[in-house]
Amino acid sequence: MSILTHFDAQGQAHMVDVAAKAATHRIGVAGGRIEMKASTLALIESGNAKKGDVLGIARIAGIMAAKKTSDLIPLCHPLALTRVAIEFEAIHADTARASTIFCTATVETVGRTGVEMEALTAVQVALLTIYDMCKAADRGMVMTDVKLLEKHGGKSGSFVAMT
C-alpha cells in the first residue's frame, strides 16, 4: 500500500475520505523567514513604510490564507479553524547574514484531519505580503526555510522538527 494517500489504487488523485476518523484537537505550527536589507527592516519597524503597517497587514493576510487553504490546494479539506496566530520576530543583521523577519503560524482545529497545510500556507502568504509591501525599497528580499515545525493530534500523534 502506498504511503501517498491522495492517490487511489489506480494511481488517480482523489480527496482522502476522513469520515471514519475521530475528531481530535489538532495543532499545526509552521515557520519561515524573509531576508532583507537592514534598511528595509528598519523601515518596517519604524512604521513608515509607504503602504502602511507591514507586519499588521501580513498578520491578517496569513490568517486569511489559513482560512482559504482548501481553495488554493486542490485536495485539502475545508476546515473549521478554531485558532490562527501569526507571530513575527525581527533579527537584525550582523556581519554574517542579512536582516530577517521570522514568521511563525500556529493553526488549530477540532476535526478529522490536520492543519499542517493551513499553517504552511499562512506563513508563505504572510511572507509574500511583507515582500509585496516592501518591494519598492528592496526587490532582493528572499523568502526561505518555510517548513512544518510541529504537528499534534490525530492518529499519527505528534511531530516536532529537528532544529
Side-chain angles (χ1 to χ4, degrees), residues 98-154:
S99 290
T100 301
I101 295 176
F102 187 78
C103 176
T104 304
T106 303
V107 181
E108 297 185 41
T109 193
V110 175
R112 292 181 162 91
T113 189
V115 287
E116 298 94 328
M117 293 304 298
E118 287 73 11
L120 288 161
T121 301
V123 166
Q124 192 67 66
V125 171
L127 295 175
L128 284 166
T129 301
I130 293 169
Y131 186 94
D132 178 55
M133 294 189 71
C134 298
K135 67 183 179 251
D138 185 357
R139 291 202 186 271
M141 291 178 282
V142 176
M143 292 164 280
T144 187
D145 297 333
V146 175
K147 64 182 177 180
L148 182 67
L149 301 173
E150 296 180 38
K151 166 264 187 242
H152 303 283

Side-chain angles (χ1 to χ4, degrees), residues 10 13-15 21-22 34 36 41 46 53 65-66 73 77 79 93 98-99 113 119 123 128 131 141 158-161:
Q10 291 76 39
H14 71 102
M15 187 179 225
K21 293 172 79 176
I34 184 166
M36 63 193 66
L41 181 55
S46 74
D53 176 9
I73 310 295
H77 293 82
L79 301 177
S99 290
T113 189
V123 166
L128 284 166
Y131 186 94
M141 291 178 282
S158 293
F159 164 83
V160 177

Side-chain angles (χ1 to χ4, degrees), residues 67-116:
K67 293 166 42 174
K68 292 291 195 177
T69 299
S70 66
D71 290 339
L72 300 169
I73 310 295
L75 301 178
C76 280
H77 293 82
L79 301 177
L81 303 180
T82 58
R83 176 174 179 246
V84 180
I86 309 291
E87 297 177 19
F88 298 105
E89 178 186 2
I91 303 166
H92 294 269
D94 60 22
T95 57
R97 61 190 166 120
S99 290
T100 301
I101 295 176
F102 187 78
C103 176
T104 304
T106 303
V107 181
E108 297 185 41
T109 193
V110 175
R112 292 181 162 91
T113 189
V115 287
E116 298 94 328

